[in-house]
Amino acid sequence: MQSKSLNHLNDSQHDAVMHNEGPALIIAGPGSGKTRVITSRIAWLVENNTSIHQIAALTFTNKAAAEMKTRIFSMLGSTPLKFLPNIGTFHSFCAYILRENTELLSVDKNFLIYDNYDQISVIKRALNDLNLDSKIYKPQMVLGLISKSKSKLETVEIFSKSISTAFDKNIYQIYKNYQEKLIQSNALDFDDLLVNAYFMLSSNEEILLSYNNKYKYLMIDEFQDTNFVQYKIAQLLSQEHNNIFVVGDPDQSIYSWRNADITNILNFQSDYPGTKVVYLNQNYRSSQNIIDASQSVISENQNNYNRKITSADQGTGNLIITVEAYDEIEEAEKIASEVNKITESEEIKLSDIAIMYRTNAQSRAFEQVFSINNIPFQLVGGTRFYQRQEIKDLLAYIRLIININDDSSFLRIINTPTRGIGKSTIDKITQHAYVENISCYDAAKSLIDKKSESISISTGPAKNVNNFIEIIEKIKSVSTNLPIDELITQIIQTTKYKDYLINNLSNPEERFENIEELVSSISNFEPADPQNKINEFLESVSLINDVDSMNEEIEKLTLITLHQSKGLEYDTVFLTGLEDGTLPHILSFDNELEMEEERRLLYVGITRAKKRLYLTRVFKRGGWGKSEVKSPSRFLYDIPSKLVIGHKVSKPKSNNQKTNRYTEKHENKDIPKIIAGDKVNHPSFGKGIVISAVNSIDDIELTIAFEENKGIKKFLYTMSGIIKI
C-alpha cells in the first residue's frame, strides 16, 4: 500500500520527497507545489519511523508555517502541531532556542520582542541622548544600517573596528546606545533573535551538539530569501547529520533590501558537495499564456535558471490584457470598471481579485476610487490591527506591568491618557535614566523622590508623574490574580481610558470594538505553556507581519504591494504602474543587479495570477507634488505580442531608457482634429466640452468638463474611447 504522503505527486515531486539522507536543493518554480513537497516529505519521514520532533522546518511567514502545519496534520492526524516550535518561522524558532538558554543571554526568559514602532522609539531616544539631528540621522535609515550590520553578524564591537568617517562614528554611538537600551528594557529586536541564536550555537559546543542531536532533518522553505546569518544558523544546525533540504527559486529573490542574499541558493551546491538537485517545472496555478509571459520577462536576466515551465492543468488560457490610462485616478477607475464587469458577468468573487503595485503610495488612488464606487477592499500593509493606537496603548500597559523596565511602553503611556506630563518632564526622565543607566520607570521614581542633584521636576508635573506611578503599581498589584479580560477592564477603569477615547480620539465606538476584539483574541489564544500565556501572546503579536494579518475569508478585493504578494495566488491579478521609474523603480536604473531584482519582482507579480492577468500603465503619474510624463516599462517590451490583447508597445531602438518620455507611437490611430470648445462623448462619463487640447507625440491631451456634475477630467485621446460629436 502506497504511503498517503506520496499521493498526488508528480515524478519530480516524488523524487524530492523520497530523498532521505544528505543535502538536497529543490528548485521550485511558481505554483509548482513546493509546500506540498515539504509537507509530504515530513509526513513520509514520520511514516518511516522518524519522530516529528526530529524535524525542523523553517519558513518566513506565520501564514506559511500555519499552512504547513495544517497540511501535515491532515496527513498524520495526531500530533498537536500548533504547539511544535520546530515548525515555524526562522525568528520564532530562534526565539525558542534563546528562551531555552537565557542563562547565556543579557536578558531573562521573559524578554520582549520589539517591533518596528518600538525600535524607532529607541532610536529617537538614542539620538536625543547623543544630541544628534534626526533630520540628518533619520531614525528609519539608522535602523536600516543597524539591521544590515546585524545581518552580517557585525556586533557593536565589530562595527567599531570599521569606523572611517565622522558619520560612521555617530552611527556606532547610536548602535551602541540602542543596544544598551534594549538590554535595559529586557528586550530583543528581530535581528537580535537571529544574531544571538547564531552566537549561542557557534560559541557553545554543548548547546550546538544538543540541537544537532535533537533535529536530524532540517528543511527550509523560500531559501532564496535567507540572509547571511540565517544561512550560518542553517549550517550549524545541519552540520552533524548533513540532512539539509532547501526549497527555493532564485527567480523569486526580491528582498535584497531586507538583506536577503541570493548567493545562498546560487552557491548551495558548492557549499554542500553531493547535493541532490530536483527541478519542479510543472505549474499547477497559472495558464500557459501567463507562464509564457513570466518566462519571457525573467529570461532577460543574466542570472536565471532558464527553465521550461509548463502548465499542469490550466491550459492555454486567456490572453493578457493591457490597459492604458491618462493618470493614476483613471487607472483606478478603469480597473474598478473591469472589476465590476467580471464580478457581475462571471462567477468570480472579489476575494479572488488582487491589485498589485510597486510602492505603497500607489494604493491611494485605488482606495479613493474603490470607496467612491462602493467596492469593498482590504489594504495589506495598512494599519494592522495590533498597530492601531488603542491596541498599542493597552498592550503597552500590559507589557509595562509584566516588565517594569520596558522603556518603550513606559514612554508611550506615561501621558496616555493625557495626565499633564509634558515633553519637558519626559525629557528629564529619559535624561536621568541615561545618565544613571536605569530604566525610565526607576528614573521617574527617583526624580519624584528628589534623589537627583542635577535634574529636578517641579511640583505640578512631579505630582502627575507620581499619579501615573501609583496607577501602574495599583494595576500591577492585582494583575497576577486576574484573567486577561478583567485585567484589561481594570486598566481601562483605572486609567479612565474610555473617557480619553470618547473625548480625544475619532471613531470611539469602532475603537471600543477593536478593544473587544483584543480581549477576545487573547482569551482564545492557546499557549504551549498555560502558565506563560501573556508572554507567549505578546511574542506572537510581535512576530506578525503584513501578510499574516490578511483575512482571506472576507469578501473583499485585495490591495497589496508586489513584495507582499510573494506566496499568494489569485484568480485575477491587476499589475499596475508598469512605467519606467515606477516598475522598474527609478533608483534601479544605474545598477544592473537592482534592475534584475526589479525584473524578478514583476516575475513574482505575473505568477500570482491563475486565469486573468491585466497589465496597466499611465501616461502621467503624480509624485512629490507634481505630475510627470511616464514612458512604458521596459519590461513590457519583453512580453511577446501574441500573448497580449489591448494596447501594445513597440520596442524602442535603445532599451536603456532613463528619461521620462512617452515613446509609444500610435501610427495606426485615426486621430481627429479636436480643439477647445468641441463637444465629445466619453463611454463612462458621457457628454462633455473640451476645455483644452494639447498635442503630445502622436496623441492629444484633452481636458474635458462633463455634464451632470461629473467634473473636469484629463485624458489621452487614444486611451479614452472618446468620440467627437
Side-chain angles (χ1 to χ4, degrees):
M1 181 178 169
Q2 181 170 308
S3 167
K4 186 178 179 181
S5 60
L6 301 178
N7 291 342
H8 311 297
L9 298 177
N10 63 37
D11 291 345
S12 297
Q13 293 170 338
H14 188 277
D15 191 26
V17 169
M18 292 286 287
H19 176 71
N20 190 9
E21 303 288 329
L25 170 63
I26 314 303
I27 303 297
S32 61
K34 61 182 179 62
T35 305
R36 179 187 300 176
V37 164
I38 293 174
T39 54
S40 295
R41 183 169 186 257
I42 292 173
W44 181 79
L45 287 170
V46 173
E47 290 170 347
N48 286 272
N49 301 317
T50 299
S51 168
I52 197 165
H53 300 281
Q54 292 181 294
I55 305 167
L58 307 180
T59 186
F60 281 85
T61 67
N62 294 305
K63 181 179 179 339
E67 182 182 355
M68 198 180 293
K69 290 180 180 181
T70 300
R71 292 198 188 188
I72 296 171
F73 182 79
S74 70
M75 294 179 187
L76 301 177
S78 56
T79 307
L81 297 170
K82 60 184 174 182
F83 297 142
L84 290 179
N86 53 312
I87 300 177
T89 66
F90 259 102
H91 289 91
S92 64
F93 183 71
C94 287
Y96 160 71
I97 290 177
L98 297 180
R99 293 196 195 278
E100 281 201 324
N101 302 277
T102 45
E103 68 276 5
L104 301 176
L105 297 175
S106 52
V107 293
D108 66 35
K109 186 176 182 179
N110 294 321
F111 63 79
L112 296 168
I113 301 172
Y114 272 10
D115 62 15
N116 187 258
Y117 171 87
D118 298 316
Q119 292 173 277
I120 293 296
S121 174
V122 177
I123 294 289
K124 288 178 178 178
R125 283 161 46 214
L127 293 173
N128 189 59
D129 289 346
L130 301 168
N131 200 27
L132 293 172
D133 189 346
S134 61
K135 293 180 180 177
I136 298 174
Y137 298 92
K138 296 179 179 177
Q140 196 65 56
M141 178 269 290
V142 172
L143 184 59
L145 292 174
I146 292 173
S147 179
K148 187 174 183 179
S149 293
K150 289 183 178 182
S151 74
K152 297 187 293 185
L153 294 172
E154 290 182 356
T155 61
V156 173
E157 292 74 21
I158 295 173
F159 189 93
S160 68
K161 297 175 182 177
S162 61
I163 295 173
S164 59
T165 66
F167 181 84
D168 290 342
K169 185 177 180 180
N170 286 335
I171 294 296
Y172 160 71
Q173 292 293 344
I174 301 168
Y175 187 1
K176 182 172 180 289
N177 188 295
Y178 172 81
Q179 287 301 119
E180 289 170 350
K181 281 181 164 54
L182 288 180
I183 294 169
Q184 180 68 60
S185 297
N186 195 41
L188 301 175
D189 66 17
F190 299 121
D191 295 303
D192 287 334
L193 297 175
L194 305 176
V195 172
N196 280 282
Y198 168 78
F199 282 119
M200 182 178 288
L201 293 170
S202 62
S203 64
N204 192 304
E205 189 172 336
E206 183 180 350
I207 290 177
L208 176 61
L209 186 60
S210 71
Y211 285 105
N212 268 256
N213 289 334
K214 189 173 186 177
Y215 301 115
K216 186 178 179 182
Y217 296 92
L218 175 64
M219 307 177 70
I220 303 174
D221 190 16
E222 303 287 4
F223 191 69
Q224 76 282 343
D225 294 335
T226 54
N227 62 20
F228 177 74
V229 64
Q230 288 165 332
Y231 191 44
K232 301 301 287 186
I233 290 171
Q235 286 182 314
L236 289 169
L237 289 172
S238 61
Q239 71 176 31
E240 181 70 18
H241 299 286
N242 206 32
N243 292 328
I244 180 170
F245 183 99
V246 303
V247 183
D249 182 4
D251 291 338
Q252 295 186 69
S253 178
I254 57 174
Y255 295 125
S256 64
W257 55 277
R258 224 164 50 188
N259 305 312
D261 188 350
I262 193 174
T263 61
N264 291 344
I265 191 169
L266 295 177
N267 297 338
F268 187 85
Q269 288 176 259
S270 59
D271 291 344
Y272 290 89
T275 294
K276 180 181 180 66
V277 182
V278 179
Y279 295 90
L280 304 183
N281 293 333
Q282 278 191 288
N283 183 307
Y284 291 86
R285 176 187 301 150
S286 305
S287 67
Q288 193 63 51
N289 281 341
I290 292 172
I291 293 170
D292 289 347
S294 71
Q295 291 298 112
S296 65
V297 168
I298 202 63
S299 65
E300 295 295 319
N301 273 359
Q302 293 299 311
N303 296 308
N304 77 86
Y305 270 74
N306 197 27
R307 294 162 289 162
K308 177 62 177 175
I309 309 294
T310 57
S311 177
D313 48 23
Q314 294 296 326
T316 304
N318 301 315
L319 291 174
I320 297 159
I321 300 173
T322 58
V323 178
E324 293 180 328
Y326 177 79
D327 57 16
E328 55 264 47
I329 294 296
E330 190 185 40
E331 180 183 42
E333 289 172 341
K334 286 190 172 185
I335 291 174
S337 175
E338 193 67 21
V339 166
N340 284 330
K341 185 171 71 175
I342 62 177
T343 53
E344 290 171 4
S345 63
E346 303 178 46
E347 290 192 4
I348 179 172
K349 300 181 293 185
L350 281 171
S351 55
D352 293 327
I353 303 172
I355 315 297
M356 299 181 184
Y357 35 81
R358 174 64 176 82
T359 63
N360 280 303
Q362 291 171 251
S363 73
R364 180 195 60 81
F366 298 112
E367 292 177 65
Q368 177 182 328
V369 170
F370 291 172
S371 296
I372 293 171
N373 287 273
N374 297 315
I375 298 176
F377 63 88
Q378 62 172 330
L379 177 64
V380 180
T383 303
R384 304 197 303 269
F385 179 80
Y386 291 107
Q387 297 297 321
R388 292 169 184 170
Q389 180 178 339
E390 63 277 12
I391 303 302
K392 292 284 288 185
D393 289 345
L394 292 176
L395 288 178
Y397 274 100
I398 294 172
R399 286 179 17 165
L400 188 63
I401 288 164
I402 65 174
N403 176 14
I404 212 67
N405 294 322
D406 181 7
D407 288 347
S408 179
S409 293
F410 174 91
L411 294 171
R412 180 179 183 92
I413 60 176
I414 185 173
N415 200 42
T416 304
T418 49
R419 46 179 66 95
I421 304 173
K423 184 178 183 300
S424 175
T425 301
I426 295 172
D427 286 346
K428 288 178 180 180
I429 293 172
T430 57
Q431 183 185 352
H432 187 52
Y434 175 59
V435 171
E436 298 297 326
N437 193 29
I438 56 179
S439 71
C440 288
Y441 190 86
D442 288 339
K445 292 178 70 174
S446 174
L447 292 177
I448 292 170
D449 296 337
K450 303 185 184 300
K451 292 182 178 180
S452 172
E453 296 180 359
S454 57
I455 302 174
S456 63
I457 302 176
S458 55
T459 304
K463 182 180 178 181
N464 295 333
V465 172
N466 189 58
N467 288 340
F468 172 68
I469 297 293
E470 288 179 350
I471 287 171
I472 297 301
E473 295 293 343
K474 180 181 179 180
I475 299 171
K476 189 174 176 66
S477 67
V478 299
S479 63
T480 54
N481 301 317
L482 291 178
I484 189 62
D485 56 337
E486 293 182 25
L487 175 59
I488 292 177
T489 300
Q490 181 75 36
I491 292 171
I492 292 171
Q493 290 175 348
T494 307
T495 63
K496 298 180 180 178
Y497 194 81
K498 183 176 182 179
D499 293 340
Y500 169 70
L501 287 187
I502 294 172
N503 297 324
N504 295 274
L505 300 180
S506 61
N507 304 317
E509 291 183 3
E510 181 180 332
R511 295 179 188 272
F512 274 115
E513 289 175 359
N514 290 337
I515 292 171
E516 289 176 3
E517 179 61 27
L518 172 65
V519 174
S520 177
S521 64
I522 300 177
S523 299
N524 295 328
F525 179 75
E526 297 184 45
D529 178 7
Q531 300 301 314
N532 198 34
K533 182 173 182 174
I534 290 297
N535 282 311
E536 286 193 28
F537 176 79
L538 291 173
E539 178 176 309
S540 71
V541 169
S542 297
L543 296 176
I544 288 173
N545 59 33
D546 291 332
V547 176
D548 293 332
S549 63
M550 285 180 58
N551 187 342
E552 297 178 333
E553 296 179 358
I554 59 176
E555 195 48 42
K556 292 183 179 180
L557 173 151
T558 299
L559 298 178
I560 190 169
T561 70
L562 285 163
H563 285 100
Q564 294 165 334
S565 74
K566 185 98 108 45
L568 304 177
E569 60 182 27
Y570 298 89
D571 180 277
T572 300
V573 170
F574 291 84
L575 287 181
T576 67
L578 284 167
E579 312 103 29
D580 264 10
T582 308
L583 181 65
H585 197 277
I586 193 168
L587 296 179
S588 69
F589 282 1
D590 297 318
N591 187 308
E592 186 176 342
L593 292 178
E594 290 182 7
M595 184 61 74
E596 289 214 345
E597 181 153 323
E598 292 291 297
R599 192 181 292 277
R600 292 197 294 270
L601 191 57
L602 177 58
Y603 174 76
V604 166
I606 292 174
T607 55
R608 299 311 94 196
K610 296 180 182 178
K611 297 179 180 178
R612 300 174 185 81
L613 176 65
Y614 294 78
L615 306 177
T616 74
R617 64 185 180 92
V618 301
F619 171 63
K620 277 189 174 181
R621 187 173 295 279
W624 301 100
K626 61 181 181 180
S627 186
E628 60 181 18
V629 175
K630 294 285 190 179
S631 51
S633 170
R634 63 193 67 194
F635 299 156
L636 287 172
Y637 305 128
D638 301 326
I639 300 175
S641 59
K642 65 180 181 181
L643 302 177
V644 175
I645 185 171
H647 289 280
K648 297 180 174 64
V649 295
S650 9
K651 195 167 186 175
K653 293 180 181 179
S654 172
N655 201 28
N656 295 317
Q657 300 167 294
K658 296 185 181 182
T659 58
N660 289 319
R661 294 180 294 106
Y662 186 67
T663 59
E664 182 181 3
K665 303 293 183 179
H666 297 275
E667 296 171 354
N668 299 321
K669 305 278 187 186
D670 184 16
I671 302 175
K673 183 178 180 181
I674 301 178
I675 60 175
D678 283 346
K679 294 181 179 180
V680 294
N681 189 71
H682 187 275
S684 299
F685 300 105
K687 294 180 180 179
I689 296 177
V690 177
I691 299 175
S692 70
V694 180
N695 290 329
S696 174
I697 308 179
D698 290 338
D699 215 328
I700 308 174
E701 186 177 344
L702 300 172
T703 304
I704 302 170
F706 288 99
E707 299 175 356
E708 299 179 1
N709 299 316
K710 291 182 180 177
I712 297 174
K713 301 184 184 294
K714 290 186 176 182
F715 307 91
L716 284 184
Y717 173 80
T718 59
M719 300 182 184
S720 65
I722 285 172
I723 300 173
K724 183 179 177 181
I725 56 177

